[in-house]
Amino acid sequence: PLVSAGLSYFAVTGIVSILAERIGMVVTAQATSIMVVLIFGAGTDYMLFISSRFKEQLNLGMNVKDSIAETMTKISPAILSSALTTILAMLALGLATLRSFQVLGPILALGMFFAIISGLTLIPAILSLLGKIAFWPRSTSSNSQGKAATGFWNRVAHLVDRRPLFIVVTSVVVLLFMSTGALTMKPSFNLLDSLPDNTESVQGYLTIQESFPSGSISPTSVFVVLEETAIDHLGVIESITGTLSSIPGISSVTSPSRPFGSQLEMDVEEYMDHLRYMSSRDPNPTTQKTEGIDVSSTSGELSNETYLFESYLAADRLMSNTGKVVRLEVIFRDNPGSLESLDKIKSMRRALDQFNLYPIKDIVVGGDTAIQYDTKAANNRDIKTIAPIVLIIIFVILVILLKAIIAPLYLLASVVLSFFGSLGISVIFFQFILGHSGVGSGVPIFMFLFLVALGVDYNIYIISRVKEEAETHGIRDGTKKAIIGTGGVITSAGIILAGTFTALTILPLRDLFQLGFVVALGVVIDTFFIRGFMVPSFVMLLGRWNWWPFLSDKTSD
């Protein structure tokens, strides 16, 4: 499996490099990091499912050729469906409005495509060549089947058989209780919070915060495009400046009408005349001479002439060369990346709507805080758009695979409950134990994609085996045999997948740490709790109705 996953990774890396060079495909460090985790995690899972089923067939006394043929006949639909859910879920990122999400989709989907192709071709070929030697030094014999029937998963199977209703009710209640932690989640859009505390940029911000308003580190810019020069409409600029200054939470606004961030000690009309005079002397203020300007002051303060000259220089820096574009610098009292500051962007834009009249052609709000606010809005839109599409994709694949409607419904509901339960516990751990300011802005959508798309893999594997065994042994006995037969391999696969995502937690970036932690936790819950107890209990309770509307006597009690 490791060799196969490694070859898949190198193949994908080569293709992505060619696409980046030839067609300009955007490749980010985040995409390549997650791609490695997916290929070695999920890809290895598929390969374990194949090798485990192959070993099981050998244990039944079949020869190598028949064993691999039987293995691929029985297991290929399940693992192909599993891979397809992940591939299509990743491609759904292409519907996102955020570019950072869009560029991830094709790369991650390509990685999963090669992982499943390798699993369906290279792994069976290697197993066919090696035969029983593949499992050296362990032997393959019918004894291993007997040992499996008396182990941990055998006890789980009998517990599920005896108490299915209790397990279903308890599972749902526990997951719902765990999910309540998600209600306290605070999305974090502060880029500084995602960095380690000892980085120079964070230390620099803390230094600024000690002596200046927190927003000084990243002022928000408001650009006003005029029909005529700003000097001719300085009164309008002052009205805009005053409106922005009156919004709670804004420390100061610097504009051509308030070049020093506060109102001038003169009438706007008088100041306009002064600016016209100064600009008529020389269009380049840095070359202007101070002839006739008294720069002396017995009181230690600037003389009026010098004050006017300095204010003109400051105002000129906030106007374009044509004078028709004006920049206003807005400084918030709070951290410019905080949710409180982000909400001010919405208030600013609403307040500025009243000025979309002559002589103003356009007003736009930009800067880091505005970018993060727009990211937040796009993020919310993307989650509302992509999540339902992914759920529909998974449901359709489950219906096609199982030829049923009821079973896909509770399989999908179980992974969604698992997602919210994992998210709830993780939020409490991040915010109240580790002291994080919140959950990274892009983390929830990745949590959803990975936990739902990957979590359903184990459900697909167990339910496919249940249906297979039920055709021979009936629902109850078939379910117990499926639990016993798949318990070991799914547990191993879950531990491997959780382990690969856990590797992200050693990275210094907070968002990748959070992603790795919550996905690893969710995979563990899916592996042991959902797949081992909850899903088999649903199967036991519903009996032949699991396969409605395509009911069959072969899969009934």
Side-chain angles (χ1 to χ4, degrees), residues 1 5 38-52 75 79 82 112 115-116 454 457-458 461 489-498 500 523 527:
L38 271 181
I39 291 177
F40 280 89
T44 302
D45 281 2
Y46 302 145
M47 299 164 203
L48 279 178
F49 295 156
I50 295 172
S51 60
S52 174
I75 203 173
I79 64 171
S82 299
M112 288 305 302
I116 191 60
L454 295 177
D457 287 358
Y458 304 133
Y461 192 62
V489 63
I490 292 184
T491 300
S492 300
I495 291 173
I496 289 174
L497 185 59
T500 53
V523 168
T527 302

Side-chain angles (χ1 to χ4, degrees), residues 468-520:
E468 177 189 335
E469 297 288 353
E471 291 180 355
T472 305
H473 306 284
I475 288 288
R476 302 190 77 85
D477 289 341
T479 301
K480 289 193 290 184
K481 286 183 175 296
I483 294 173
I484 296 169
T486 63
V489 63
I490 292 184
T491 300
S492 300
I495 291 173
I496 289 174
L497 185 59
T500 53
F501 273 95
T502 300
L504 292 177
T505 63
I506 67 175
L507 299 178
L509 296 179
R510 180 203 61 185
D511 291 4
L512 288 179
F513 169 86
Q514 292 180 344
L515 177 63
F517 180 89
V518 73
V519 174

